[in-house]
Amino acid sequence: MKSYIDYIIANENFEISINTDIFETNIINLIILLGILFVVIKNFLTENLTTRKKKIISDIENAETRLADSNKRYVEAQKQWSQMDIILKEINQQMETTKQNVLKLRWDQAKEDLSKKFIVAIEILRNRENKIFNDLIKEVSKKALTRVTRKIKNQLGKIEQSAIIDRKITQIGD
């Protein structure tokens, strides 16, 4: 290639032109060669391209089949999701109902326990009140009897006291 460039530089009148002489340029030989090449390679290329076309079509069909299968699985997954969502809502409702029932049951039980405790407390208070009232009556009676006894002793003599006691004993005996 260097010699060709040297030749162009050395030759000042160098021109580039197109040669129109068919025989000199070997155009006929090139056309025949290309024709033979196309005829020979055509079968090979056609067979190769047909094989590639079939493989591409098969791959596309497989991809479409996989897409249809995945769409079916997606639709099924959506159905399962919605069913699971419905089931979860039902479970939440049941949990809420159960929670309310348990709270109501505990409330009723606590209320009943408090009622029993209040009734017991009221009975205890009434018993204490009755005991205190009875003790008070006893004390008042003792004090009144003591006072009456002192008064009688001071005012009555022993004979009169004996007569009153005897009368009272006979009244009690009847």
Side-chain angles (χ1 to χ4, degrees):
M1 176 108 175
K2 190 174 183 184
S3 63
Y4 187 69
I5 294 174
D6 289 338
Y7 173 74
I8 293 173
I9 294 173
N11 197 355
E12 293 177 3
N13 294 331
F14 178 77
E15 289 183 19
I16 296 178
S17 63
I18 295 178
N19 188 356
T20 56
D21 186 8
I22 293 177
F23 296 111
E24 200 174 292
T25 57
N26 252 344
I27 288 181
I28 294 175
N29 289 339
L30 287 175
I31 291 173
I32 292 172
L33 183 62
L34 286 175
I36 292 172
L37 187 64
F38 281 133
V39 168
V40 171
I41 294 179
K42 178 184 175 187
N43 290 334
F44 174 74
L45 288 177
T46 304
E47 190 177 304
N48 192 12
L49 289 175
T50 305
T51 306
R52 286 183 70 191
K53 181 180 177 183
K54 286 179 182 177
K55 185 177 184 297
I56 289 171
I57 289 172
S58 173
D59 289 346
I60 289 172
E61 287 173 351
N62 288 339
E64 287 174 347
T65 304
R66 287 193 312 262
L67 177 65
D69 290 343
S70 63
N71 282 338
K72 287 179 186 176
R73 286 192 302 265
Y74 177 71
V75 168
E76 184 64 30
Q78 280 183 327
K79 285 179 186 177
Q80 289 175 354
W81 180 264
S82 64
Q83 289 172 352
M84 187 172 48
D85 192 37
I86 291 169
I87 290 171
L88 284 175
K89 286 179 182 176
E90 288 177 4
I91 288 172
N92 284 338
Q93 279 182 329
Q94 289 176 355
M95 281 180 22
E96 189 63 32
T97 304
T98 303
K99 178 181 161 185
Q100 289 174 356
N101 289 340
V102 167
L103 287 175
K104 186 178 184 309
L105 181 66
R106 284 184 180 174
W107 171 258
D108 291 343
Q109 189 175 8
K111 189 176 164 184
E112 184 179 323
D113 289 346
L114 283 176
S115 295
K116 287 178 183 178
K117 287 180 182 180
F118 281 130
I119 290 171
V120 168
I122 289 171
E123 285 297 318
I124 290 172
L125 287 175
R126 283 185 185 154
N127 288 340
R128 285 186 183 171
E129 182 182 348
N130 287 339
K131 185 179 183 240
I132 290 171
F133 185 71
N134 288 337
D135 289 345
L136 184 63
I137 289 175
K138 282 181 186 178
E139 281 297 316
V140 168
S141 297
K142 274 185 188 179
K143 285 188 179 188
L145 188 58
T146 306
R147 207 185 248 174
V148 168
T149 308
R150 264 191 249 145
K151 199 176 191 182
I152 290 176
K153 279 184 185 180
N154 291 339
Q155 292 177 354
L156 299 176
K158 288 199 173 221
I159 299 172
E160 293 169 334
Q161 288 176 6
S162 294
I164 292 172
I165 291 174
D166 289 337
R167 230 184 336 178
K168 293 295 177 182
I169 290 175
T170 52
Q171 283 179 353
I172 292 176
D174 292 335

